[in-house]
Amino acid sequence: MLEVRDLDLFYGDAQALDDVALDVGEGEIVAIVGANGAGKTSLIRTIAGMNRPARGSIRFEGAEIAGEPSHRVCNLGIGQVAEGRQVFPTMTVRENLELGASLPRARSGAREMMDRVLGLFPRLAERLGQAAGTLSGGEQQMLAISRCLMGRPRLVMFDEPSLGLAPTIVQDVFAIIRQLNADGFTIVLVEQNVAQSLSLAHRAYVLESGRIAMTGTGADLLDDPGVRRAYIGL
Ligand SMILES: Nc1ncnc2c1ncn2[C@@H]1O[C@H](COP(=O)(O)OP(=O)(O)OP(=O)(O)O)[C@@H](O)[C@H]1O
Ligand SMILES: [Mg+2]
């Protein structure tokens, strides 16, 4: 579904991605792990069309999208749940969701998707008229995920979806990602909970200083002594 090759990204003179190659097959959960500053967010933002790569190819369902603007990438079916629970705080839950459906690809199916999303997140259904900024942290993350789904993505990229959430809510977030995958969404997952994201992922990539250092099944990387030492602390 997604095929990244020879990808280089610079911020000024500083290279953030160096010759990155990565594949995501339809129906997979693919995790990207790496230390702070390794380039995980940079990679997601480059795929999403928010960073312009200096070199390389990004193909989504056969179409070249490297360097395409983000609205066009979104409209092809790549959704992103950005770091830090990006909701519009003064808008209501319903308005946030409607905004998610403003993509051309999503307009016709908005009502059906709203029903589906509210079925998945009954807490949001009870709070449709409430200002998003007054939701709890966990509820805001559910709303951020829901707003992304309203755009009818086929591939959903999550950047640190559990960051700053209470442990019980973290479990909910992982359960939701598993559910979305079972419902047919393909997933790219960047997570600080490396052990959990590797156990959830079919395959994973380790990013070190902008380069892919290792790749394998989630289970293989979870068993790898180097990965455990560097990212799991065991
Ligand atoms: N807009 C920017 N301008 C300049 N440098 C940037 C910018 N965004 C990121 N960087 C640099 O690029 C490198 C990769 O950052 P990135 O945010 O992609 O890392 P990350 O793996 O997501 O880290 P974290 O785990 O802390 O979120 C870092 O050295 C960072 O300082
Ligand atoms: Mg990041």
Side-chain angles (χ1 to χ4, degrees):
M1 180 177 255
L2 183 74
E3 198 178 270
V4 175
R5 294 291 179 271
D6 312 316
L7 198 67
D8 288 351
L9 173 75
F10 292 83
Y11 297 112
D13 290 336
Q15 187 160 11
L17 296 176
D18 183 359
D19 205 27
V20 167
L22 163 146
D23 290 293
V24 181
E26 183 166 2
E28 280 193 308
I29 300 178
V30 172
I32 300 168
V33 305
N36 292 132
K40 305 179 298 294
T41 298
S42 297
L43 176 56
I44 282 192
R45 289 175 56 91
T46 305
I47 295 167
M50 301 163 84
N51 290 328
R52 204 180 172 81
R55 187 178 75 97
S57 149
I58 306 170
R59 295 182 77 81
F60 178 65
E61 300 189 315
E64 179 61 51
I65 59 166
E68 288 286 316
S70 56
H71 65 90
R72 224 176 280 168
V73 173
C74 281
N75 201 44
L76 287 174
I78 299 184
Q80 190 194 355
V81 180
E83 199 173 347
R85 310 198 276 284
Q86 306 286 339
V87 300
F88 294 95
T90 61
M91 292 169 66
T92 65
V93 169
R94 182 190 294 280
E95 288 165 344
N96 270 272
L97 292 173
E98 285 168 353
L99 208 62
S102 58
L103 282 175
R105 73 177 270 113
R107 278 177 206 149
S108 65
R111 178 168 302 200
E112 180 206 329
M113 203 59 191
M114 177 82 86
D115 289 344
R116 195 166 158 194
V117 156
L118 295 180
L120 205 54
F121 300 107
R123 293 180 71 88
L124 295 182
E126 294 160 11
R127 291 166 173 76
L128 281 173
Q130 191 172 324
T134 63
L135 297 174
S136 73
E139 289 164 355
Q140 289 188 31
Q141 184 60 284
M142 306 304 162
L143 179 56
I145 294 169
S146 300
R147 199 186 60 202
C148 173
L149 296 178
M150 289 298 294
R152 302 181 78 87
R154 307 228 312 120
L155 171 69
V156 183
M157 301 191 292
F158 289 90
D159 194 356
E160 313 268 17
S162 79
L163 193 67
L165 297 178
T168 55
I169 311 291
V170 169
Q171 293 317 309
D172 291 347
V173 168
F174 278 100
I176 287 155
I177 292 170
R178 192 189 297 275
Q179 179 67 50
L180 292 177
N181 182 244
D183 287 350
F185 293 93
T186 302
I187 310 273
V188 170
L189 176 62
V190 169
E191 249 297 329
Q192 26 135 25
N193 284 311
V194 172
Q196 289 217 53
S197 70
L198 290 180
S199 32
L200 190 60
H202 301 103
R203 293 186 308 105
Y205 293 84
V206 178
L207 199 54
E208 277 176 14
S209 307
R211 297 186 67 94
I212 301 290
M214 207 188 293
T215 180
T217 66
D220 283 348
L221 293 193
L222 198 54
D223 285 342
D224 184 88
V227 169
R228 297 192 76 84
R229 214 175 307 118
Y231 303 110
I232 303 177
L234 292 171

